[in-house]
Amino acid sequence: FRDYHRLLLLGPLSREMVMWFLIWFQVINNNIEHYQLNQFPTQNECEEALEDAKVLITTSQTTVYCFEVIPK
């Protein structure tokens, strides 16, 4: 996986509406737990926060990602 992924929701593309979400994930017994850590207006801001959030990766079953979300 890369440090960010793009989530495109159906609808017109508007760059002003793009948000980036920093999410923590944990996989236990085939169940995925997640928690939204924060949201950002730019990819750079999210990736900067992602670097700090890497302290939350305490096992091989946890990770953090930045996701781009374009609202409908």
Side-chain angles (χ1 to χ4, degrees):
F1 289 108
R2 295 178 358 186
D3 285 340
Y4 58 91
H5 296 277
R6 174 175 279 187
L7 297 178
L8 295 176
L9 305 178
L10 297 177
L13 181 61
S14 171
R15 296 308 301 175
E16 293 83 19
M17 298 299 294
V18 172
M19 291 296 299
W20 288 83
F21 291 84
L22 179 58
I23 311 291
W24 170 87
F25 292 96
Q26 181 174 34
V27 179
I28 299 176
N29 298 325
N30 293 324
N31 291 314
I32 298 176
E33 298 289 328
H34 70 281
Y35 184 76
Q36 179 184 326
L37 300 174
N38 210 336
Q39 62 188 40
F40 304 91
T42 68
Q43 178 181 356
N44 286 342
E45 289 177 73
C46 191
E47 289 178 349
E48 287 175 13
L50 181 139
E51 289 302 314
D52 292 336
K54 286 183 178 180
V55 299
L56 299 173
I57 302 173
T58 57
T59 70
S60 62
Q61 289 82 30
T62 59
T63 193
V64 287
Y65 285 108
C66 284
F67 288 90
E68 182 181 26
V69 177
I70 302 171
K72 188 174 180 179

